[in-house]
Amino acid sequence: MADKKPVNHIRLTSHPDGDAVSIRWGDPDPTRRGPVVATLTEPAHRNVIGTHAGSYAVYRALAVAAGMLPQDHRADLKDTSPAARIGPHPSWSNPDRIVSLDPWGAVAPQAFSAQSEQGIDFRPTIAVTRAHINLPELRDAVVAGRLKPDGDLLTANGDIKVVKAAVDPVWHLPGIAKRFGMTENALRRGLFEQTGGMFPELITRPDLHVFLPPIGGLTLYAFGDINSVSNKDIPLAVRVHDECNGSDVFGSDICTCRPYLAHGIEECVRTAQAGGAGVIVYLRKEGRALGEVTKFLVYNARKRQEGGDSAATYFQRTECVAGVQDMRFQELMPDVLHWLGITRIHRFVSMSDMKHDAIVRSGIEILERVPIPEELVPADAKVEMEAKKAAGYFTKGPVADAAALTQVKGRGLDV
Ligand SMILES: Nc1nc2c(ncn2[C@@H]2O[C@H](COP(=O)(O)OP(=O)(O)OP(=O)(O)O)[C@@H](O)[C@H]2O)c(=O)[nH]1
Ligand SMILES: [Zn+2]
Protein backbone atom coordinates (compact mmCIF):
# COMPACT_ATOMS: atom_id res chain seq x y z
CA MET A 1 0.00 0.00 0.00
CA ALA A 2 2.92 2.35 0.73
CA ASP A 3 3.79 2.74 -2.97
CA LYS A 4 0.20 3.43 -3.98
CA LYS A 5 -0.11 6.65 -6.00
CA PRO A 6 -2.96 9.08 -5.33
CA VAL A 7 -5.58 9.00 -8.09
CA ASN A 8 -5.99 12.23 -10.00
CA HIS A 9 -9.26 11.58 -11.79
CA ILE A 10 -12.53 11.90 -9.87
CA ARG A 11 -13.81 8.51 -8.67
CA LEU A 12 -17.58 8.45 -8.59
CA THR A 13 -18.94 6.02 -6.03
CA SER A 14 -22.36 5.89 -7.65
CA HIS A 15 -21.86 2.44 -9.14
CA PRO A 16 -20.25 -0.77 -7.85
CA ASP A 17 -16.52 -0.72 -8.57
CA GLY A 18 -15.22 -4.08 -7.37
CA ASP A 19 -16.13 -6.88 -5.04
CA ALA A 20 -16.23 -5.32 -1.62
CA VAL A 21 -16.82 -7.57 1.41
CA SER A 22 -20.49 -7.45 2.27
CA ILE A 23 -21.82 -6.55 5.71
CA ARG A 24 -24.21 -9.08 7.27
CA TRP A 25 -25.62 -6.79 9.95
CA GLY A 26 -26.42 -8.62 13.20
CA ASP A 27 -24.48 -11.78 12.37
CA PRO A 28 -22.95 -13.00 15.66
CA ASP A 29 -19.82 -14.29 13.92
CA PRO A 30 -17.56 -11.35 13.00
CA THR A 31 -15.97 -13.31 10.15
CA ARG A 32 -19.41 -13.43 8.54
CA ARG A 33 -20.57 -9.98 9.76
CA GLY A 34 -17.65 -8.25 8.01
CA PRO A 35 -16.05 -4.87 8.69
CA VAL A 36 -17.46 -1.44 7.90
CA VAL A 37 -15.15 -0.26 5.11
CA ALA A 38 -15.44 3.46 4.41
CA THR A 39 -11.94 3.90 3.02
CA LEU A 40 -11.27 6.49 0.37
CA THR A 41 -7.84 5.05 -0.39
CA GLU A 42 -9.27 2.03 -2.25
CA PRO A 43 -12.79 2.80 -3.53
CA ALA A 44 -13.32 -0.79 -4.70
CA HIS A 45 -13.22 -1.95 -1.08
CA ARG A 46 -15.92 0.42 0.17
CA ASN A 47 -19.07 -1.25 1.46
CA VAL A 48 -20.86 1.79 2.93
CA ILE A 49 -22.28 5.16 1.93
CA GLY A 50 -20.43 8.15 3.41
CA THR A 51 -17.16 8.22 5.31
CA HIS A 52 -15.72 8.15 8.81
CA ALA A 53 -15.79 10.59 11.75
CA GLY A 54 -19.34 11.94 11.47
CA SER A 55 -19.39 15.69 10.92
CA TYR A 56 -15.58 15.84 11.09
CA ALA A 57 -15.39 14.10 7.71
CA VAL A 58 -15.81 17.57 6.20
CA TYR A 59 -12.68 18.86 7.98
CA ARG A 60 -10.78 15.83 6.70
CA ALA A 61 -11.94 16.67 3.20
CA LEU A 62 -10.77 20.25 3.72
CA ALA A 63 -7.38 19.05 4.97
CA VAL A 64 -6.91 16.95 1.83
CA ALA A 65 -8.11 19.77 -0.44
CA ALA A 66 -5.70 22.16 1.29
CA GLY A 67 -2.80 19.76 0.76
CA MET A 68 -2.27 19.22 4.51
CA LEU A 69 -3.19 15.55 4.48
CA PRO A 70 -2.26 12.98 1.82
CA GLN A 71 -5.46 11.47 0.43
CA ASP A 72 -4.04 7.97 0.81
CA HIS A 73 -3.16 8.36 4.49
CA ARG A 74 -3.89 5.19 6.48
CA ALA A 75 -4.34 5.30 10.24
CA ASP A 76 -1.53 3.68 12.24
CA LEU A 77 -3.59 1.88 14.87
CA LYS A 78 -0.70 0.55 16.97
CA ASP A 79 -1.57 0.67 20.71
CA THR A 80 -5.03 2.14 20.09
CA SER A 81 -7.10 -0.92 21.11
CA PRO A 82 -9.81 -0.54 23.82
CA ALA A 83 -8.58 0.13 27.38
CA ALA A 84 -11.54 -1.86 28.72
CA ARG A 85 -13.33 -4.84 27.24
CA ILE A 86 -16.98 -4.34 26.27
CA GLY A 87 -19.05 -7.25 24.88
CA PRO A 88 -19.83 -9.04 22.74
CA HIS A 89 -23.32 -9.09 24.22
CA PRO A 90 -26.38 -11.01 22.91
CA SER A 91 -27.82 -7.66 21.69
CA TRP A 92 -24.97 -7.42 19.18
CA SER A 93 -26.41 -10.31 17.21
CA ASN A 94 -29.95 -8.97 16.96
CA PRO A 95 -30.02 -6.91 13.73
CA ASP A 96 -32.95 -4.82 14.99
CA ARG A 97 -31.64 -4.11 18.49
CA ILE A 98 -28.68 -1.93 17.43
CA VAL A 99 -29.10 0.04 14.19
CA SER A 100 -27.31 3.37 14.69
CA LEU A 101 -23.80 2.30 15.74
CA ASP A 102 -21.50 -0.60 14.86
CA PRO A 103 -21.33 -2.93 17.89
CA TRP A 104 -17.98 -4.25 16.57
CA GLY A 105 -16.71 -0.71 16.07
CA ALA A 106 -14.28 -0.70 19.02
CA VAL A 107 -12.66 -4.02 18.20
CA ALA A 108 -12.80 -3.86 14.40
CA PRO A 109 -9.03 -4.40 13.86
CA GLN A 110 -9.08 -7.48 16.11
CA ALA A 111 -12.48 -8.90 15.05
CA PHE A 112 -11.81 -8.50 11.33
CA SER A 113 -8.12 -9.40 11.30
CA ALA A 114 -8.56 -11.56 8.16
CA GLN A 115 -9.68 -8.52 6.14
CA SER A 116 -6.90 -6.49 7.70
CA GLU A 117 -4.34 -9.05 6.52
CA GLN A 118 -5.81 -8.75 3.02
CA GLY A 119 -4.83 -5.08 3.13
CA ILE A 120 -8.38 -3.72 3.43
CA ASP A 121 -8.30 -0.28 5.03
CA PHE A 122 -10.94 0.05 7.72
CA ARG A 123 -10.90 1.75 11.07
CA PRO A 124 -12.64 1.66 14.46
CA THR A 125 -15.84 3.69 14.78
CA ILE A 126 -15.65 3.43 18.59
CA ALA A 127 -12.71 4.16 20.90
CA VAL A 128 -12.61 3.10 24.55
CA THR A 129 -10.18 4.66 27.03
CA ARG A 130 -9.78 5.41 30.74
CA ALA A 131 -9.63 8.80 32.45
CA HIS A 132 -9.98 10.78 35.66
CA ILE A 133 -12.63 13.51 35.72
CA ASN A 134 -13.14 16.31 38.22
CA LEU A 135 -16.12 18.69 38.47
CA PRO A 136 -16.72 21.50 40.99
CA GLU A 137 -20.24 20.16 41.73
CA LEU A 138 -18.78 16.79 42.71
CA ARG A 139 -16.18 18.45 44.94
CA ASP A 140 -19.10 20.34 46.54
CA ALA A 141 -20.87 17.01 47.07
CA VAL A 142 -17.80 15.76 48.94
CA VAL A 143 -17.66 18.92 51.10
CA ALA A 144 -21.41 18.65 51.83
CA GLY A 145 -20.92 15.01 52.83
CA ARG A 146 -23.22 13.62 50.09
CA LEU A 147 -20.25 11.74 48.60
CA LYS A 148 -17.46 10.12 50.58
CA PRO A 149 -14.02 9.70 49.00
CA ASP A 150 -12.91 6.07 48.93
CA GLY A 151 -9.37 6.69 47.69
CA ASP A 152 -10.00 4.65 44.56
CA LEU A 153 -13.10 5.48 42.50
CA LEU A 154 -13.33 8.90 44.16
CA THR A 155 -10.28 10.56 45.70
CA ALA A 156 -10.29 13.26 48.41
CA ASN A 157 -9.61 16.01 45.84
CA GLY A 158 -12.64 14.92 43.81
CA ASP A 159 -10.94 12.92 41.05
CA ILE A 160 -13.26 10.22 39.71
CA LYS A 161 -12.03 7.20 37.75
CA VAL A 162 -13.97 6.42 34.60
CA VAL A 163 -13.96 4.31 31.50
CA LYS A 164 -15.07 6.45 28.57
CA ALA A 165 -15.98 5.65 25.01
CA ALA A 166 -16.50 7.81 21.93
CA VAL A 167 -18.96 6.44 19.39
CA ASP A 168 -19.37 7.57 15.78
CA PRO A 169 -22.74 7.02 14.11
CA VAL A 170 -23.09 4.01 11.80
CA TRP A 171 -26.61 3.56 10.45
CA HIS A 172 -27.99 0.28 9.17
CA LEU A 173 -30.64 1.76 6.87
CA PRO A 174 -33.10 -1.19 6.87
CA GLY A 175 -33.04 -1.18 10.70
CA ILE A 176 -33.42 2.60 10.97
CA ALA A 177 -36.37 2.50 8.55
CA LYS A 178 -37.99 -0.31 10.54
CA ARG A 179 -37.49 1.59 13.82
CA PHE A 180 -39.47 4.53 12.41
CA GLY A 181 -42.05 2.42 10.60
CA MET A 182 -41.12 3.66 7.13
CA THR A 183 -39.83 1.90 4.04
CA GLU A 184 -36.09 1.88 3.37
CA ASN A 185 -36.82 3.65 0.07
CA ALA A 186 -38.65 6.48 1.82
CA LEU A 187 -35.78 6.84 4.29
CA ARG A 188 -33.15 6.88 1.52
CA ARG A 189 -35.11 9.39 -0.52
CA GLY A 190 -35.64 11.69 2.48
CA LEU A 191 -31.95 11.58 3.41
CA PHE A 192 -30.89 12.21 -0.19
CA GLU A 193 -33.25 15.07 -0.91
CA GLN A 194 -33.07 16.82 2.45
CA THR A 195 -29.26 16.89 2.45
CA GLY A 196 -29.34 18.67 -0.89
CA GLY A 197 -28.34 15.48 -2.72
CA MET A 198 -25.18 15.09 -0.66
CA PHE A 199 -25.06 11.28 -0.99
CA PRO A 200 -26.26 10.10 -4.44
CA GLU A 201 -25.49 6.48 -3.44
CA LEU A 202 -28.55 6.58 -1.19
CA ILE A 203 -30.47 6.35 -4.47
CA THR A 204 -28.02 4.67 -6.86
CA ARG A 205 -26.58 1.96 -4.59
CA PRO A 206 -29.41 -0.13 -3.10
CA ASP A 207 -26.74 -2.82 -2.61
CA LEU A 208 -25.15 -0.69 0.16
CA HIS A 209 -27.20 -0.77 3.36
CA VAL A 210 -24.87 0.98 5.80
CA PHE A 211 -24.62 4.79 5.92
CA LEU A 212 -22.12 6.82 7.94
CA PRO A 213 -24.11 10.04 8.44
CA PRO A 214 -22.26 13.37 8.78
CA ILE A 215 -23.68 14.06 12.24
CA GLY A 216 -22.39 14.22 15.81
CA GLY A 217 -21.86 11.01 17.73
CA LEU A 218 -21.89 10.33 21.46
CA THR A 219 -19.57 9.86 24.40
CA LEU A 220 -20.25 7.61 27.34
CA TYR A 221 -18.72 7.68 30.80
CA ALA A 222 -18.89 4.55 32.95
CA PHE A 223 -18.38 4.49 36.73
CA GLY A 224 -17.48 1.32 38.63
CA ASP A 225 -16.92 -2.03 36.95
CA ILE A 226 -17.91 -1.72 33.27
CA ASN A 227 -18.63 -5.48 33.21
CA SER A 228 -21.37 -5.21 35.82
CA VAL A 229 -23.55 -2.87 33.72
CA SER A 230 -24.87 -5.91 31.84
CA ASN A 231 -25.69 -7.81 35.06
CA LYS A 232 -29.32 -6.97 35.82
CA ASP A 233 -28.90 -7.91 39.47
CA ILE A 234 -26.21 -5.28 40.09
CA PRO A 235 -27.62 -1.77 40.73
CA LEU A 236 -27.13 0.57 37.78
CA ALA A 237 -27.69 4.34 37.57
CA VAL A 238 -28.00 5.88 34.09
CA ARG A 239 -28.39 9.41 32.74
CA VAL A 240 -28.83 9.96 29.01
CA HIS A 241 -27.96 13.60 28.34
CA ASP A 242 -28.36 15.66 25.19
CA GLU A 243 -25.77 18.32 24.54
CA CYS A 244 -26.44 21.86 25.74
CA ASN A 245 -23.22 23.78 25.24
CA GLY A 246 -24.55 26.96 26.88
CA SER A 247 -25.31 25.26 30.18
CA ASP A 248 -23.03 22.18 30.13
CA VAL A 249 -19.86 24.19 29.44
CA PHE A 250 -20.67 27.83 30.18
CA GLY A 251 -23.15 27.51 33.05
CA SER A 252 -25.97 29.46 31.35
CA ASP A 253 -28.93 29.57 33.77
CA ILE A 254 -31.84 29.35 31.32
CA CYS A 255 -32.06 25.57 31.61
CA THR A 256 -31.29 22.68 33.95
CA CYS A 257 -28.80 20.82 31.75
CA ARG A 258 -25.52 21.13 33.67
CA PRO A 259 -27.04 20.80 37.16
CA TYR A 260 -28.94 17.67 36.08
CA LEU A 261 -25.81 16.25 34.42
CA ALA A 262 -23.78 16.85 37.58
CA HIS A 263 -26.54 15.26 39.65
CA GLY A 264 -26.50 12.26 37.31
CA ILE A 265 -22.74 11.87 37.79
CA GLU A 266 -23.22 12.09 41.56
CA GLU A 267 -25.84 9.31 41.39
CA CYS A 268 -23.50 7.20 39.26
CA VAL A 269 -20.61 7.62 41.70
CA ARG A 270 -22.82 6.81 44.71
CA THR A 271 -24.23 3.70 43.01
CA ALA A 272 -20.75 2.52 41.97
CA GLN A 273 -19.38 3.06 45.47
CA ALA A 274 -22.19 0.89 46.84
CA GLY A 275 -21.04 -2.00 44.62
CA GLY A 276 -23.07 -1.09 41.52
CA ALA A 277 -22.21 0.92 38.44
CA GLY A 278 -23.21 4.08 36.61
CA VAL A 279 -23.36 5.24 33.01
CA ILE A 280 -23.65 8.75 31.57
CA VAL A 281 -24.38 8.95 27.87
CA TYR A 282 -23.68 12.34 26.29
CA LEU A 283 -25.24 12.76 22.86
CA ARG A 284 -24.29 15.52 20.42
CA LYS A 285 -27.86 16.69 19.85
CA GLU A 286 -27.53 20.38 20.63
CA GLY A 287 -30.78 22.28 21.08
CA ARG A 288 -32.92 19.13 20.89
CA ALA A 289 -31.05 18.30 17.64
CA LEU A 290 -32.26 21.58 16.13
CA GLY A 291 -28.84 23.20 16.55
CA GLU A 292 -27.61 26.07 18.68
CA VAL A 293 -28.52 28.80 16.16
CA THR A 294 -32.14 27.69 16.32
CA LYS A 295 -31.96 27.48 20.11
CA PHE A 296 -30.65 31.03 20.51
CA LEU A 297 -33.27 32.36 18.04
CA VAL A 298 -35.85 30.65 20.24
CA TYR A 299 -34.40 32.24 23.38
CA ASN A 300 -34.81 35.70 21.81
CA ALA A 301 -38.34 34.91 20.68
CA ARG A 302 -39.21 33.61 24.16
CA LYS A 303 -37.87 36.68 25.92
CA ARG A 304 -39.25 39.25 23.45
CA GLN A 305 -42.79 37.92 23.19
CA GLU A 306 -45.60 39.97 24.66
CA GLY A 307 -45.72 39.38 28.40
CA GLY A 308 -42.16 38.00 28.44
CA ASP A 309 -40.76 34.46 28.70
CA SER A 310 -43.50 32.19 30.02
CA ALA A 311 -43.91 28.49 30.75
CA ALA A 312 -47.28 28.63 28.97
CA THR A 313 -45.63 29.24 25.57
CA TYR A 314 -42.26 27.50 26.15
CA PHE A 315 -42.61 24.71 23.57
CA GLN A 316 -44.58 26.84 21.09
CA ARG A 317 -41.71 29.27 20.67
CA THR A 318 -39.38 26.47 19.51
CA GLU A 319 -42.07 25.15 17.21
CA CYS A 320 -42.58 28.59 15.66
CA VAL A 321 -38.91 28.78 14.68
CA ALA A 322 -38.13 25.14 13.86
CA GLY A 323 -41.51 23.79 12.78
CA VAL A 324 -41.24 21.08 15.45
CA GLN A 325 -40.55 21.07 19.19
CA ASP A 326 -37.86 18.41 19.11
CA MET A 327 -35.87 16.39 16.56
CA ARG A 328 -33.83 14.15 18.86
CA PHE A 329 -35.47 10.91 17.73
CA GLN A 330 -35.00 9.24 21.10
CA GLU A 331 -35.92 5.92 19.41
CA LEU A 332 -32.28 5.57 18.31
CA MET A 333 -30.80 6.49 21.72
CA PRO A 334 -31.21 3.07 23.44
CA ASP A 335 -28.77 1.48 20.96
CA VAL A 336 -25.78 2.54 23.05
CA LEU A 337 -27.33 0.97 26.16
CA HIS A 338 -27.79 -2.28 24.25
CA TRP A 339 -24.20 -2.06 23.04
CA LEU A 340 -23.18 -2.12 26.72
CA GLY A 341 -25.46 -5.13 27.27
CA ILE A 342 -27.76 -3.22 29.67
CA THR A 343 -31.09 -4.96 30.31
CA ARG A 344 -32.17 -3.25 33.53
CA ILE A 345 -31.70 0.30 34.88
CA HIS A 346 -32.26 0.63 38.60
CA ARG A 347 -32.08 4.43 38.81
CA PHE A 348 -32.85 6.41 35.66
CA VAL A 349 -31.77 10.03 36.11
CA SER A 350 -34.12 11.83 33.73
CA MET A 351 -37.63 13.26 33.78
CA SER A 352 -38.11 12.82 30.03
CA ASP A 353 -41.05 10.66 29.08
CA MET A 354 -39.64 10.34 25.56
CA LYS A 355 -36.32 8.95 26.78
CA HIS A 356 -38.04 6.65 29.30
CA ASP A 357 -40.55 5.29 26.80
CA ALA A 358 -37.91 4.71 24.10
CA ILE A 359 -35.71 2.76 26.50
CA VAL A 360 -38.56 0.64 27.87
CA ARG A 361 -39.95 -0.03 24.37
CA SER A 362 -36.51 -1.27 23.33
CA GLY A 363 -36.71 -3.98 26.00
CA ILE A 364 -34.77 -2.43 28.90
CA GLU A 365 -36.46 -2.37 32.29
CA ILE A 366 -36.45 0.89 34.30
CA LEU A 367 -37.11 0.44 38.02
CA GLU A 368 -36.94 3.98 39.41
CA ARG A 369 -36.92 7.50 37.90
CA VAL A 370 -34.87 10.21 39.57
CA PRO A 371 -36.04 13.82 38.96
CA ILE A 372 -33.71 16.79 39.32
CA PRO A 373 -33.75 18.00 42.96
CA GLU A 374 -35.77 21.23 43.21
CA GLU A 375 -32.85 23.18 44.72
CA LEU A 376 -30.73 22.55 41.57
CA VAL A 377 -33.15 24.34 39.23
CA PRO A 378 -31.81 27.86 38.43
CA ALA A 379 -34.40 30.67 38.78
CA ASP A 380 -34.52 31.44 35.04
CA ALA A 381 -34.96 27.71 34.26
CA LYS A 382 -38.28 27.52 36.16
CA VAL A 383 -40.01 28.36 32.85
CA GLU A 384 -38.51 25.25 31.22
CA MET A 385 -39.08 23.03 34.23
CA GLU A 386 -42.77 23.88 34.74
CA ALA A 387 -43.46 23.67 30.98
CA LYS A 388 -41.82 20.24 30.81
CA LYS A 389 -43.71 18.88 33.80
CA ALA A 390 -46.99 20.18 32.33
CA ALA A 391 -46.09 18.46 29.04
CA GLY A 392 -45.79 15.06 30.72
CA TYR A 393 -42.20 14.96 32.07
CA PHE A 394 -41.89 12.80 35.18
CA THR A 395 -42.26 14.51 38.55
CA LYS A 396 -43.09 13.51 42.09
CA GLY A 397 -44.44 17.04 42.78
CA PRO A 398 -47.43 19.13 41.62
CA VAL A 399 -48.02 19.99 37.94
CA ALA A 400 -49.09 23.54 37.00
CA ASP A 401 -52.42 23.95 35.17
CA ALA A 402 -52.84 26.30 32.17
CA ALA A 403 -53.49 29.35 34.34
CA ALA A 404 -50.57 28.66 36.67
CA LEU A 405 -48.22 28.18 33.69
CA THR A 406 -48.85 31.74 32.56
CA GLN A 407 -47.58 32.93 35.95
CA VAL A 408 -44.18 31.20 35.60
CA LYS A 409 -41.99 33.89 34.07
CA GLY A 410 -38.38 34.12 32.94
CA ARG A 411 -35.94 37.02 32.80
CA GLY A 412 -36.07 39.56 29.97
CA LEU A 413 -33.24 40.05 27.43
CA ASP A 414 -31.90 43.27 28.91
CA VAL A 415 -31.79 42.32 32.56
N1 LIG B 1 -34.67 24.11 20.61
C1 LIG B 1 -34.60 24.30 21.92
N2 LIG B 1 -33.78 23.50 22.61
C2 LIG B 1 -33.70 23.67 23.94
C3 LIG B 1 -34.43 24.70 24.62
N3 LIG B 1 -34.12 24.58 25.94
C4 LIG B 1 -33.25 23.54 26.05
N4 LIG B 1 -32.97 23.00 24.86
C5 LIG B 1 -32.16 21.81 24.50
O1 LIG B 1 -32.86 20.70 25.03
C6 LIG B 1 -31.97 19.61 25.29
C7 LIG B 1 -32.21 19.13 26.71
O2 LIG B 1 -33.52 18.69 26.75
P1 LIG B 1 -34.54 19.05 27.86
O3 LIG B 1 -35.89 19.18 27.20
O4 LIG B 1 -34.06 20.20 28.71
O5 LIG B 1 -34.56 17.80 28.81
P2 LIG B 1 -34.63 16.29 28.37
O6 LIG B 1 -33.29 15.88 27.90
O7 LIG B 1 -35.76 16.07 27.40
O8 LIG B 1 -35.05 15.60 29.74
P3 LIG B 1 -34.22 15.34 31.07
O9 LIG B 1 -33.50 14.04 30.86
O10 LIG B 1 -35.26 15.26 32.12
O11 LIG B 1 -33.24 16.48 31.26
C8 LIG B 1 -30.56 20.12 25.06
O12 LIG B 1 -30.17 19.65 23.78
C9 LIG B 1 -30.77 21.66 25.07
O13 LIG B 1 -29.78 22.27 24.27
C10 LIG B 1 -35.30 25.54 23.84
O14 LIG B 1 -36.00 26.46 24.34
N5 LIG B 1 -35.35 25.28 22.50
ZN1 LIG C 1 -29.76 23.35 28.45
Short mmCIF file of all heavy atoms in Angstrom, two decimals, residues 132 134 142 149-160:
data_model
loop_
_atom_site.label_atom_id
_atom_site.label_comp_id
_atom_site.label_asym_id
_atom_site.label_seq_id
_atom_site.Cartn_x
_atom_site.Cartn_y
_atom_site.Cartn_z
N HIS A 132 -9.52 10.23 34.39
CA HIS A 132 -9.98 10.78 35.66
C HIS A 132 -10.74 12.05 35.31
O HIS A 132 -10.28 12.84 34.50
CB HIS A 132 -8.79 11.15 36.56
CG HIS A 132 -8.08 9.97 37.12
ND1 HIS A 132 -7.17 10.07 38.14
CD2 HIS A 132 -8.15 8.65 36.82
CE1 HIS A 132 -6.70 8.87 38.44
NE2 HIS A 132 -7.27 8.00 37.64
N ASN A 134 -13.02 15.53 37.00
CA ASN A 134 -13.14 16.31 38.22
C ASN A 134 -14.07 17.50 37.94
O ASN A 134 -13.80 18.30 37.05
CB ASN A 134 -11.74 16.80 38.66
CG ASN A 134 -11.72 17.25 40.09
OD1 ASN A 134 -12.56 18.02 40.52
ND2 ASN A 134 -10.74 16.75 40.85
N VAL A 142 -18.70 16.33 47.93
CA VAL A 142 -17.80 15.76 48.94
C VAL A 142 -17.81 16.65 50.19
O VAL A 142 -17.97 16.17 51.32
CB VAL A 142 -16.36 15.61 48.39
CG1 VAL A 142 -15.37 15.23 49.50
CG2 VAL A 142 -16.32 14.56 47.26
N PRO A 149 -15.16 10.23 49.75
CA PRO A 149 -14.02 9.70 49.00
C PRO A 149 -13.67 8.30 49.49
O PRO A 149 -13.75 8.03 50.69
CB PRO A 149 -12.89 10.69 49.31
CG PRO A 149 -13.57 11.92 49.76
CD PRO A 149 -14.83 11.49 50.44
N ASP A 150 -13.30 7.43 48.55
CA ASP A 150 -12.91 6.07 48.93
C ASP A 150 -11.46 5.80 48.57
O ASP A 150 -10.96 4.69 48.73
CB ASP A 150 -13.82 5.04 48.25
CG ASP A 150 -13.86 5.26 46.75
OD1 ASP A 150 -12.83 5.61 46.16
OD2 ASP A 150 -14.94 5.11 46.15
N GLY A 151 -10.78 6.84 48.03
CA GLY A 151 -9.37 6.69 47.69
C GLY A 151 -9.13 5.93 46.40
O GLY A 151 -8.00 5.80 45.95
N ASP A 152 -10.19 5.41 45.80
CA ASP A 152 -10.00 4.65 44.56
C ASP A 152 -10.90 5.24 43.47
O ASP A 152 -10.44 6.02 42.63
CB ASP A 152 -10.34 3.17 44.81
CG ASP A 152 -10.18 2.36 43.55
OD1 ASP A 152 -9.32 2.72 42.72
OD2 ASP A 152 -10.93 1.36 43.37
N LEU A 153 -12.18 4.92 43.50
CA LEU A 153 -13.10 5.48 42.50
C LEU A 153 -13.20 6.99 42.64
O LEU A 153 -13.22 7.73 41.65
CB LEU A 153 -14.49 4.84 42.69
CG LEU A 153 -15.57 5.36 41.74
CD1 LEU A 153 -15.36 4.81 40.34
CD2 LEU A 153 -16.96 5.00 42.24
N LEU A 154 -13.25 7.46 43.89
CA LEU A 154 -13.33 8.90 44.16
C LEU A 154 -12.26 9.27 45.19
O LEU A 154 -12.28 8.77 46.32
CB LEU A 154 -14.74 9.21 44.72
CG LEU A 154 -14.96 10.64 45.26
CD1 LEU A 154 -14.86 11.67 44.15
CD2 LEU A 154 -16.33 10.73 45.94
N THR A 155 -11.35 10.16 44.77
CA THR A 155 -10.28 10.56 45.70
C THR A 155 -10.71 11.80 46.50
O THR A 155 -11.70 12.46 46.16
CB THR A 155 -8.97 10.89 44.94
OG1 THR A 155 -9.22 12.03 44.12
CG2 THR A 155 -8.50 9.72 44.10
N ALA A 156 -9.93 12.13 47.52
CA ALA A 156 -10.29 13.26 48.41
C ALA A 156 -10.35 14.58 47.66
O ALA A 156 -11.12 15.48 48.01
CB ALA A 156 -9.29 13.34 49.56
N ASN A 157 -9.55 14.74 46.59
CA ASN A 157 -9.61 16.01 45.84
C ASN A 157 -10.68 15.99 44.75
O ASN A 157 -10.74 16.90 43.92
CB ASN A 157 -8.23 16.38 45.28
CG ASN A 157 -7.84 15.53 44.09
OD1 ASN A 157 -8.55 14.56 43.76
ND2 ASN A 157 -6.75 15.86 43.43
N GLY A 158 -11.49 14.96 44.73
CA GLY A 158 -12.64 14.92 43.81
C GLY A 158 -12.38 14.23 42.48
O GLY A 158 -13.26 14.22 41.61
N ASP A 159 -11.20 13.64 42.30
CA ASP A 159 -10.94 12.92 41.05
C ASP A 159 -11.79 11.64 41.01
O ASP A 159 -11.84 10.89 41.99
CB ASP A 159 -9.47 12.50 40.95
CG ASP A 159 -8.59 13.64 40.46
OD1 ASP A 159 -9.13 14.73 40.18
OD2 ASP A 159 -7.36 13.44 40.37
N ILE A 160 -12.42 11.42 39.87
CA ILE A 160 -13.26 10.22 39.71
C ILE A 160 -12.72 9.40 38.55
O ILE A 160 -12.49 9.92 37.46
CB ILE A 160 -14.72 10.62 39.39
CG1 ILE A 160 -15.28 11.53 40.50
CG2 ILE A 160 -15.59 9.39 39.21
CD1 ILE A 160 -16.54 12.27 40.09
#
